[in-house]
Amino acid sequence: MIAALALLAAAAAAGQTVADAERAFAEQARTGGQWNAFRAFAAPDAVLYSPSATPARTVLSRSTEPPTPLLWRPAHTITSCDGSLAYSTGPWTKDGKSGSFGTLWRHDTAGWKWIYDGGHDGGVLASAPIGVVAEDHAACPGPIGSVGEQAEVLPDVAVPVATLKGGGLAGLIMASDGPMPASLHLGHATEEGASTDRTLRWRINPVRDAATGAHLLRIWSWDGRRYRLAVFDVTGTRS
């Protein structure tokens, strides 16, 4: 079953947008098993937080199929200019509960494969219109130069969220477990990466003074002149 799903995932990947990939991922979870689908669409280096960052293959190897699968659909995507990296978010439902998810995808010769997946209970995306997907793209490369290195020096104190999300896009995607914290005490980045053309960049920082595995995912999109914060997603800080 798993091998067949992997072949279907690869076959479906040709010419897909990340929204197409997310829909195919969700459909396989619905019809072929939730964790089977996660395995079929995972990149070899994919990570899940369980509760701290753990190779997805390790988490999935001990996961048994639930009686009813999680159901989800994309509502908003952000893709690099060259199509090598993307982020997808939208609502999920399961057993009368609902929330939002966020998935980071990489595209290569194997097609779209997820490298990070997370989610939250509740949130505004739970009521996103069915069938509507906002598909945004980073601007194609301009004079990125050394700006693309995105060096960051973090103080060893809590920083106001208003400061951390400064310079964000007008449509900045913000998500958290419950109310967004007023401030975050961040540790040094544990994971980060970028699209091949560097028009989409991402970084994960641990959140200190919070639950094990608490972290902040940020994604920046190139607008032709500079990077603009596009995603600000905090997990594990519910009080």
Side-chain angles (χ1 to χ4, degrees):
M1 171 65 78
I2 295 173
L5 286 174
L7 288 173
L8 286 172
Q16 282 187 327
T17 66
V18 71
D20 293 331
E22 192 72 71
R23 291 188 193 97
F25 181 21
E27 179 62 13
Q28 286 198 22
R30 187 184 70 84
T31 60
Q34 175 178 309
W35 299 127
N36 282 338
F38 267 77
R39 295 181 190 102
F41 279 82
D45 56 342
V47 169
L48 288 170
Y49 277 73
S50 182
S52 56
T54 307
R57 62 180 179 273
T58 300
V59 178
L60 296 172
S61 70
R62 58 178 184 245
S63 300
T64 56
E65 293 295 342
T68 57
L70 192 73
L71 303 177
W72 72 91
R73 56 186 170 83
H76 195 164
T77 65
I78 306 170
T79 306
S80 63
C81 171
D82 66 356
S84 65
L85 187 74
Y87 174 81
S88 176
T89 186
W92 62 260
T93 59
K94 180 178 171 65
D95 298 332
K97 298 179 180 179
S98 63
S100 64
F101 70 87
T103 308
L104 193 59
W105 294 83
R106 184 174 63 220
H107 190 277
D108 54 25
T109 55
W112 286 107
K113 296 291 184 180
W114 66 267
I115 56 177
Y116 166 92
D117 189 85
H120 308 281
D121 295 336
V124 296
L125 281 175
S127 59
I130 295 175
V132 177
V133 181
E135 298 183 76
D136 295 332
H137 293 80
C140 289
I144 293 180
S146 61
V147 176
E149 300 305 317
Q150 281 283 282
E152 181 176 53
V153 178
L154 293 167
D156 191 20
V157 295
V159 178
V161 165
T163 299
L164 291 170
K165 69 183 183 67
L169 293 169
L172 174 65
I173 297 170
M174 296 189 68
S176 62
D177 299 321
M180 180 64 69
S183 61
L184 294 170
H185 186 181
L186 300 179
H188 296 298
T190 53
E191 298 175 80
E192 57 187 324
S195 58
T196 303
D197 65 359
R198 297 195 300 167
T199 60
L200 204 65
R201 303 189 67 87
W202 62 276
R203 178 176 295 147
I204 294 176
N205 293 83
V207 178
R208 296 176 176 173
D209 309 320
T212 300
H215 61 281
L216 168 65
L217 167 67
R218 286 173 293 170
I219 300 175
W220 293 267
S221 178
W222 182 252
D223 72 358
R225 296 182 302 168
R226 62 188 176 115
Y227 284 104
R228 303 288 300 277
L229 186 64
V231 176
F232 190 95
D233 188 336
V234 187
T235 298
T237 59
R238 189 192 299 274
S239 58

